[in-house]
């Protein structure tokens, strides 16, 4: 089930990319968790939050190599157990005390950490869909396959939406669309989903570009969305303006590490979590952001190559779903911070501070390497 010999067959091009993203994360977290009342030059690099992030990265590396050596085909046997456990954990959130007025985390006592089931739910949905669509290959274009596949995605989607966590729930849509495509589902269904997704993006784009006035739509939109959810579609919120300002102040080369006046003084909300992209941009400028984009491009490019070399339908579906899972987090977070999408709290892969995001990402990357290292098996 687990064999170290497959670690010699990994795609070693991915490892420098992962390490570079981790270093960027530590730089940003260190910069924005220092005491603003002290001399930044004398402040140590390793703040308590940096130490916590480094510990999560260390655990993540262990998780990565474990799943890289693990035979991904064994996941078939655990699919429904994992799926049911995720549903139970999502339902259980509604019986816990809310954190920041939402029910997204379990607070684990004694060790003072939080656990966010929705981060793992997206990954488990990918595994479950891969297993299901592989089994239904002979009747992939039937309406029954589409119906049951939609149920698999729909249950966790609704539970995550009710937390409420609109951003995480919506990430499931493009994952499902791509997996339906790779699973050879009925073309009319894929076309309908693509049109619906495209219309939704066009509507959001028109709001953010000012073509459709935000307040004009409120009486209609609030019949479907809650007031605070609709308020996130306002392109003039403080968070949206602050993110754009931080990126603009960075210029070409940035203000320098720990020298940001805007984000460093607290004007940018959540600079090392949701807003890590503009926070990094202010200090390292356009050149720094271009480097970050190149690293993400390489990560997604190498990940999609796994789908091309996978030797079985389960591996092909699983690698495609995992790659889109990673890509959507990157695109949505950067889109939010650049003013193209509403800010919904989707983390930036391997850069945003947080244990649940790191572990689920490293697990996903490890599974991709497991598929890649077994590409010559029949």
């Amino acid at each position: 089930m687990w064999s170290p010999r497959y670690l010699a067959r990994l795609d070693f091009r991915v490892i420098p990319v992962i390490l570079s993203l981790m270093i960027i994360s530590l730089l940003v977290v260190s910069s924005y968790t220092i005491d603003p009342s002290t001399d930044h030059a004398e402040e140590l690099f390793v703040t308590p939050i940096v130490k916590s992030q480094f510990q999560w990265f260390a655990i993540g590396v262990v998780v990565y190599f474990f799943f890289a050596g693990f035979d991904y085909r064994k996941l078939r046997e655990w699919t429904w157990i994992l799926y049911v456990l995720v549903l139970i954990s999502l339902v259980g959130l509604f019986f816990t005390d809310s954190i920041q007025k939402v029910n997204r985390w379990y607070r684990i006592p004694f060790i003072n950490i939080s656990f966010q089931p929705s981060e793992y739910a997206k990954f488990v949905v990918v595994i479950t869909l891969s297993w299901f669509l592989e089994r239904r290959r002979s009747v992939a274009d039937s309406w029954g396959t589409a119906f049951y596949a939609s149920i698999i995605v729909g249950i966790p989607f609704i539970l995550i939406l009710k937390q409420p966590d609109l951003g995480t729930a919506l990430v499931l849509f493009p994952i499902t669309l791509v997996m339906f495509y790779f699973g050879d589902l009925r073309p009319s269904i894929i076309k309908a989903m693509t049109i619906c997704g495209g219309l939704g993006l066009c509507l959001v784009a028109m709001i953010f570009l000012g073509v459709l006035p935000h307040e004009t739509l409120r009486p209609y939109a609030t019949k479907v969305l809650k007031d605070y959810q609709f308020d996130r579609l306002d392109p003039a919120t403080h968070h949206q303006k602050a993110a754009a300002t931080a990126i603009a102040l960075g210029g070409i080369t940035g203000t320098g590490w720990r020298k940001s006046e805007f984000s460093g003084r607290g004007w940018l909300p959540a600079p090392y979590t949701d807003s890590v992209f503009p926070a990094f941009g202010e200090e390292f400028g356009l050149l720094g952001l271009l480097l970050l984009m190149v690293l993400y491009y390489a990560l997604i490019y190498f990940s999609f190559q796994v789908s091309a070399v996978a030797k079985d339908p389960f591996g092909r579906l699983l690698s495609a779903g995992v790659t889109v899972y990673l890509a959507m987090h990157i695109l949505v977070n950067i889109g939010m911070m650049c003013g193209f999408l509403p800010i919904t709290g989707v983390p930036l892969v391997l850069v945003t501070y947080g244990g649940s995001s790191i572990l689920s990402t490293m697990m996903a990357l490890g599974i991709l390497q497991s598929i890649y290292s077994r590409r010559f098996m029949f």
Side-chain angles (χ1 to χ4, degrees), residues 120-229:
Y120 302 94
K122 292 173 287 189
F123 184 57
V124 171
V125 166
V126 170
I127 296 174
T128 308
L129 269 182
S130 301
W131 173 87
F132 177 77
L133 293 176
E134 182 193 36
R135 289 177 62 90
R136 301 277 297 190
R137 275 185 300 164
S138 60
V139 289
D141 62 345
S142 68
W143 289 104
T145 299
F147 174 76
Y148 290 119
S150 299
I151 293 295
I152 290 172
V153 180
I155 296 174
F157 176 87
I158 293 171
L159 290 174
I160 294 172
L161 192 63
K162 288 290 185 180
Q163 292 179 4
D165 190 354
L166 180 62
T168 300
L170 291 181
V171 169
L172 289 173
F173 182 84
I175 292 175
T176 304
L177 176 59
V178 171
M179 294 194 69
F180 278 13
Y181 174 79
F182 276 85
D184 296 324
L185 264 70
R186 188 181 291 266
S188 59
I189 296 173
I190 298 172
K191 186 181 296 184
M193 291 179 64
T194 304
I195 292 173
C196 290
L199 290 175
L201 283 176
C202 288
L203 178 61
V204 172
M206 286 191 290
I207 294 174
F208 275 78
L209 292 173
V211 177
L212 294 176
H214 179 263
E215 289 304 314
T216 303
L217 295 175
R218 182 177 291 276
Y220 311 100
T222 50
K223 293 179 180 179
V224 180
L225 302 175
K226 295 182 180 179
D227 285 332
Y228 77 91
Q229 291 175 326

Side-chain angles (χ1 to χ4, degrees), residues 178-303:
V178 171
M179 294 194 69
F180 278 13
Y181 174 79
F182 276 85
D184 296 324
L185 264 70
R186 188 181 291 266
S188 59
I189 296 173
I190 298 172
K191 186 181 296 184
M193 291 179 64
T194 304
I195 292 173
C196 290
L199 290 175
L201 283 176
C202 288
L203 178 61
V204 172
M206 286 191 290
I207 294 174
F208 275 78
L209 292 173
V211 177
L212 294 176
H214 179 263
E215 289 304 314
T216 303
L217 295 175
R218 182 177 291 276
Y220 311 100
T222 50
K223 293 179 180 179
V224 180
L225 302 175
K226 295 182 180 179
D227 285 332
Y228 77 91
Q229 291 175 326
F230 180 70
D231 288 339
R232 289 177 179 174
L233 291 173
D234 186 356
T237 62
H238 169 68
H239 202 160
Q240 292 280 7
K241 290 181 177 180
T245 301
I247 294 173
L249 289 174
I252 302 296
T253 58
T255 59
W257 185 58
R258 286 187 172 179
K259 294 181 180 179
S260 61
E261 290 293 330
F262 185 78
S263 302
R265 297 297 177 182
W267 293 103
L268 176 67
Y272 60 93
T273 52
D274 293 347
S275 305
V276 68
F277 184 79
F280 178 74
E282 183 178 357
E283 291 194 340
F284 295 92
L286 177 62
L287 295 179
L289 292 179
L290 286 176
L291 172 62
L292 184 61
M293 297 291 285
V294 168
L295 290 172
Y296 279 133
Y297 173 82
L299 184 68
I300 299 305
Y301 178 77
F302 296 150
S303 298

Side-chain angles (χ1 to χ4, degrees), residues 73-145:
R73 295 170 298 177
K74 293 292 183 180
L75 290 173
R76 294 189 185 101
E77 303 170 10
W78 292 85
T79 297
W80 286 107
I81 296 175
L82 294 172
Y83 186 76
V84 171
L85 287 176
V86 160
L87 294 186
I88 292 173
S89 65
L90 291 175
V91 171
L93 286 172
F94 299 104
F95 300 95
T96 63
D97 294 331
S98 62
I99 300 176
Q100 300 177 2
K101 298 182 180 180
V102 294
N103 297 91
R104 298 180 189 173
W105 299 275
Y106 286 106
R107 180 79 72 183
I108 302 176
F110 307 116
I111 55 177
N112 194 31
I113 61 174
S114 298
F115 166 72
Q116 188 174 1
S118 61
E119 287 297 325
Y120 302 94
K122 292 173 287 189
F123 184 57
V124 171
V125 166
V126 170
I127 296 174
T128 308
L129 269 182
S130 301
W131 173 87
F132 177 77
L133 293 176
E134 182 193 36
R135 289 177 62 90
R136 301 277 297 190
R137 275 185 300 164
S138 60
V139 289
D141 62 345
S142 68
W143 289 104
T145 299

Side-chain angles (χ1 to χ4, degrees), residues 26-39:
L26 294 175
L27 286 173
V28 176
V29 172
S30 177
S31 179
Y32 293 102
T33 56
I34 55 177
D35 185 351
S37 64
T38 62
D39 183 356

